[in-house]
Amino acid sequence: MLQEKYKTEIDEILSRYPVRRSAMLPLLTMAQREEGYVSEAAMKEIASILRVTPPQVYETVTFYTMLNLKPIGTFHIQVCKSLMCALVGSDSLLVWLQARLGIKPGETTPDRLFTLSTVECLASCGTGPMMQVNDDYYERLTEEKVDRILADLKRDGTSPLKSGPFILPEPEGAHG
Amino acid sequence: MPSYEPILTKNMLTPGYTGSLVDYERAGGYQALRKVLGKIAPDDVTAMVIKSGLRGRGGAGFPTGVKWGFLPKDYTGPRYLCCNADESEPGTFKDRQLIERDPHQMLEGMAITCYAIGAETAYIYIRGEFVLGAKILEKALAEARAAGYIGRNILGTGINIEMWLHRGAGAYICGEETALLESLEGKRGLPRVKPPFPATHGLYNKPTVVNNVETLANLPYIVNRGPEWFASIGSPPKSTGTRIFCVSGHVKRPGNYEVPMGITCRELIFEHAGGMRSDKPLKAIIPGGASAAFFTDQHLDVKLDFESVAQAGSMLGSGGVTIMEEGTSMVWAALRLMEFFYHESCGKCTPCREGTSWLVQTMRRIWTRRGRLEDLETLTDLCQNIAGRTVCAFGDAAIAPITSTLKHWRHEYEELIRTAEAAGSAELVMPATRH
C-alpha cells in the first residue's frame, strides 16, 4: 500500500542510511500520516521493506509515544502536564478542555473529531500552559483562547493562533 | 540591567532577520566554514575547540574538542556526526529557538565538526514533536545544499559532507546519546552499556560524535573570532562562553537569556527575567532542567557555571532554570517531576524501571494524605538503590527532585504525613499506576 503510493519517497528515505532499519521511524511516521495511526498491515509492510520481522517493527512502535496503535480523532489535542506547565496552570486548562469536549484524557469525542491526551514536556516551558494539536503548538493558553482554537479547528481545520517560529521573550516591536 | 554581547542569539534579535540563507550570509554566515575547509588541518580545528574550552550544552558538559579527539586516528572507514536536537529536558526550550530562528548557524557548526572529525555523513536527530522546526531545517538544508555548503565537493574543496534530518517519535530518553543512536538505527531507544563509547563504537558501530544544537552553534564564532576570545567569556578556565538559560515558572518575563556563564541566579532571575510574577517571594530554583537538584532562596548568589552549581549540590545541566514562588508545595513539585521520570524510564534497568514506579506510588500516597512516616525511609532507600546502578544517567537524574526536596523541605513531607495520621487514614491502599 505505502510502496505503491510513495515508492519514490520511500526509496529516497532508504538512500539516506547505510542500514535499512534506520528508515524505521520515517516509515512509521509516513504510515501514521496516511492512516492516522500505525495499522497492523502497515507494520507488516514496513517489516518487508526493511527486511526485519513484524515483531521487530511492533516492538519499536510501542516504545514511542507519538505513534498510535489505534485510530484517533481528526484533531489530537495533547496537553503538557509536566511541572513547568503545571506551575502556570496546565491542570485547570485540562479541566476546562475536559468540560468543553466532554471527554477525559485518552478518550475521543463521539463525532471522532477530538482526541484528548496529556503528554510530558514539549519544550515550551516559558510559554505554558500549552498544547499541541496535530502538528501545531498553541501556547500561553487561556480559557478564552482555547475556546477560539476549538471553534477555529471545527470550522477551518486549523487556527491562526498556532505558534510560529519561536523566540522568547519576543524582541520589542515584533509580533508574537 | 547588565547587558552582554549576544553571540548565538545576535542574528535572531536583529529586526527583520528571518533565518534564511541570504540573511545568514549577510550576517557573516558560512565564513567560518570557508576559513577552515582545506585551509586549516582538521586536527588544528579540534585543537582550536579544545583551546576555547567549549563544553557540551546538552546537559553533561563534556569538553567538546576532547570528545572529538577520542575518535580513532587510524580508522579509515566511515565516521558520523549526530546533532542532538531531541530537546526534551523539562525546563529547556533553547534549541527550539536556535533551530526555528537561525537554522544555518547550527548547520555551519555541523559542517565544521564533520570536517574536524572526518565525517562525511551527519544526521540531525530532532524530536518528533518539533514539526515546525523540522520543516525549517529541511528548507535550510535544501538552501545550503543548493549553495554548495553541504553535499559533494563542498566549495570546490573536494570535501563531501551530507546531512540528513531524522525525526524522533516521542521519547525523552532518546536525548541520551547512545539511546539516540539506537533510535537512529530504527530500534527502541534503549541506552547502551558503556564502554565502548560512541567515539569508537557509535552509529552502526562506527566512530561517532554526538553534539547538542547549542554546542554546534558556537563553532562558527570560535573559528571566526578565535579560541582565545571565546575562552575569555564567562567563568574561565572551566566554564567558557555564553549559555542560553531558559527561564520558566513564576517569573515576570520567562524566556531564553543568553548571558556569559558565571552570572548569579539572582541576576538571571531578578534582572533578566524581570523578577517574581507576584508579590510572593521566591521559594525554589531548579538550576539545570528537571534532572537537577532543587535550590532554595539561600542559593540565589550561586554562580551559574558548571563548577559553582555542582559545588552547591546541583548541576548546570541543560540550562533550564525554573522558578517557584512561596506557596508552591515542594512535595507536589517533586511528585510532578517524578511522574515525568516514571513515564519516561525506558525500562532497561530494573532499579530505574521498578524504582521510579515505586517512588511515584509512595509520593502519591504522601501527597493524597495517606502517607506514614516510614514512607520517608522508603523514599530514601529507593533513591539510594537507583543512584549509580543504571546504564545511563537517567537513574541519577530521576531521584534528584526527591532527594533535594527531602533535604531542604522535609518538614513539608512530614506535615502531610501528620495530617494523614491525624485523620486516621494510615491505610495501606496504594493507588494503582500504569504506564
Side-chain angles (χ1 to χ4, degrees):
Chain A
M1 294 242 301
L2 289 172
Q3 260 186 315
E4 282 164 28
K5 220 167 155 184
Y6 300 108
K7 185 160 189 329
T8 326
E9 196 181 337
I10 292 172
D11 288 344
E12 193 277 318
I13 290 170
L14 287 168
S15 76
R16 299 175 192 172
Y17 310 100
V19 174
R20 292 178 86 84
R21 186 167 173 163
S22 272
M24 180 79 82
L25 290 183
L27 294 188
L28 287 168
T29 305
M30 177 191 278
Q32 180 153 300
R33 186 183 74 199
E34 189 65 10
E35 297 185 85
Y37 74 110
V38 183
S39 65
E40 202 177 313
M43 285 189 271
K44 283 182 177 156
E45 189 186 354
I46 290 170
S48 99
I49 296 170
L50 301 180
R51 297 174 197 149
V52 297
T53 64
Q56 284 175 310
V57 179
Y58 180 74
E59 70 165 18
T60 310
V61 173
T62 56
F63 189 79
Y64 297 94
T65 53
M66 284 175 66
L67 300 172
N68 308 311
L69 281 165
K70 284 185 199 143
I72 56 162
T74 310
F75 301 108
H76 190 193
I77 299 181
Q78 302 171 79
V79 179
C80 172
K81 63 172 268 286
S82 293
L83 175 67
M84 291 69 190
C85 274
L87 287 171
V88 290
S90 61
D91 289 2
S92 42
L93 173 78
L94 187 62
V95 171
W96 182 261
L97 267 166
Q98 291 185 48
R100 272 290 179 270
L101 300 171
I103 51 172
K104 291 196 185 75
E107 294 177 353
T108 301
T109 52
D111 59 8
R112 311 284 315 158
L113 212 47
F114 296 104
T115 296
L116 182 63
S117 303
T118 56
V119 293
E120 297 293 353
C121 191
L122 294 178
S124 176
C125 316
T127 38
M130 66 82 64
M131 62 184 184
Q132 179 165 21
V133 182
N134 298 354
D135 287 352
D136 301 314
Y137 276 28
Y138 295 88
E139 297 168 274
R140 286 203 188 103
L141 295 175
T142 59
E143 292 172 353
E144 297 73 39
K145 202 166 166 184
V146 164
D147 286 351
R148 274 181 58 195
I149 294 164
L150 292 180
D152 288 346
L153 291 174
K154 272 188 191 168
R155 195 181 52 243
D156 309 324
T158 181
S159 168
L161 295 172
K162 68 184 174 196
S163 303
F166 175 72
I167 188 161
L168 188 75
E170 286 98 353
E172 279 176 33
H175 297 283
Chain B
M1 175 170 73
S3 88
Y4 305 100
E5 186 201 349
I7 299 168
L8 307 181
T9 53
K10 185 178 175 222
N11 292 343
M12 62 184 79
L13 290 171
T14 309
Y17 187 83
T18 63
S20 67
L21 178 62
V22 175
D23 282 9
Y24 185 64
E25 284 178 325
R26 202 173 288 151
Y30 288 108
Q31 289 305 319
L33 184 64
R34 289 177 187 276
K35 205 167 157 181
V36 296
L37 277 196
K39 294 179 187 143
I40 303 177
D43 282 352
D44 292 343
V45 178
T46 304
M48 196 188 279
V49 175
I50 292 175
K51 201 171 173 193
S52 76
L54 176 67
R55 291 170 65 175
R57 298 323 198 213
F62 196 83
T64 306
V66 177
K67 195 177 200 180
W68 295 0
F70 288 153
L71 263 64
K73 301 261 177 286
D74 49 353
Y75 182 80
T76 52
R79 298 150 181 255
Y80 295 99
L81 168 68
C82 297
C83 167
N84 189 342
D86 192 53
E87 180 165 70
S88 34
E89 178 73 21
T92 316
F93 45 90
K94 60 186 174 68
D95 296 341
R96 183 178 164 212
Q97 181 167 319
L98 291 172
I99 291 164
E100 295 184 4
R101 288 286 175 159
D102 207 2
H104 284 285
Q105 183 173 258
M106 60 175 269
L107 296 187
E108 185 179 7
M110 286 176 65
I112 293 168
T113 310
C114 283
Y115 173 71
I117 65 171
E120 292 200 337
T121 310
Y123 297 99
I124 304 167
Y125 187 99
I126 186 169
R127 67 177 297 176
E129 293 89 344
F130 283 176
V131 182
L132 181 61
K135 278 183 193 155
I136 289 170
L137 274 174
E138 285 288 15
K139 187 168 166 248
L141 283 167
E143 283 178 332
R145 206 165 279 141
Y149 293 124
I150 56 176
R152 299 199 67 77
N153 190 19
I154 296 173
L155 303 171
T157 57
I159 294 159
N160 307 319
I161 300 172
E162 202 40 89
M163 290 185 197
W164 305 107
L165 188 70
H166 187 95
R167 291 181 57 208
Y172 167 74
I173 196 61
C174 291
E176 196 276 348
E177 63 178 11
T178 59
L180 182 152
L181 299 175
E182 287 288 301
S183 182
L184 191 43
E185 290 181 5
K187 304 171 200 160
R188 294 167 73 87
L190 307 183
R192 297 175 182 167
V193 178
K194 296 163 282 280
F197 290 93
T200 54
H201 297 75
L203 187 64
Y204 314 121
N205 236 4
K206 304 285 189 263
T208 302
V209 164
V210 184
N211 282 149
N212 166 263
V213 170
E214 188 186 350
T215 313
L216 293 162
N218 272 296
L219 296 166
Y221 305 98
I222 292 173
V223 168
N224 278 332
R225 300 171 74 170
E228 295 84 6
W229 161 80
F230 191 86
S232 73
I233 303 167
S235 294
K238 290 199 165 163
S239 294
T240 58
T242 62
R243 245 353 247 274
I244 303 178
F245 289 108
C246 325
V247 187
S248 63
H250 297 147
V251 290
K252 273 204 188 82
R253 284 198 305 272
N256 285 318
Y257 296 96
E258 184 184 13
V259 293
M261 270 195 274
I263 71 161
T264 62
C265 289
R266 189 186 300 280
E267 182 185 329
L268 179 69
I269 299 162
F270 289 94
E271 303 283 346
H272 300 280
M276 302 303 289
R277 66 171 184 181
S278 70
D279 51 6
K280 290 187 191 162
L282 180 146
K283 179 174 183 180
I285 307 167
I286 304 176
S291 306
F294 285 44
F295 275 168
T296 70
D297 59 351
Q298 299 301 305
H299 294 92
L300 273 169
D301 292 310
V302 171
K303 286 183 174 172
L304 289 164
D305 58 48
F306 288 110
E307 281 66 41
S308 306
V309 176
Q311 229 162 42
S314 188
M315 64 168 187
L316 198 59
S318 61
V321 179
T322 302
I323 312 305
M324 288 168 262
E325 65 191 13
E326 200 55 66
T328 312
S329 164
M330 291 298 109
V331 179
W332 171 82
L335 168 59
R336 201 44 86 96
L337 288 176
M338 206 54 236
E339 286 173 339
F340 168 82
F341 287 114
Y342 166 55
H343 183 264
E344 299 296 339
S345 172
C346 80
K348 179 166 180 161
C349 310
T350 313
C352 174
R353 184 185 63 242
E354 303 303 321
T356 52
S357 158
W358 201 347
L359 284 171
V360 162
Q361 294 185 49
T362 311
M363 291 290 288
R364 277 193 191 147
R365 183 160 70 178
I366 295 170
W367 176 241
T368 55
R369 281 76 165 169
R370 286 180 296 150
R372 296 169 305 156
L373 221 46
E374 302 93 280
D375 289 338
L376 298 185
E377 300 316 310
T378 308
L379 290 179
T380 311
D381 190 38
L382 283 169
C383 289
Q384 282 169 356
N385 278 291
I386 296 172
R389 297 188 180 182
T390 54
V391 160
C392 77
F394 185 103
D396 294 320
I399 63 163
I402 295 185
T403 50
S404 59
T405 51
L406 263 177
K407 182 174 159 200
H408 300 302
W409 296 279
R410 194 180 176 91
H411 60 277
E412 290 194 20
Y413 286 83
E414 290 170 348
E415 213 165 292
L416 286 164
I417 289 168
R418 273 200 298 276
T419 315
E421 286 176 345
S425 61
E427 61 200 76
L428 273 172
V429 182
M430 298 284 270
T433 48
R434 59 191 173 83
H435 268 292

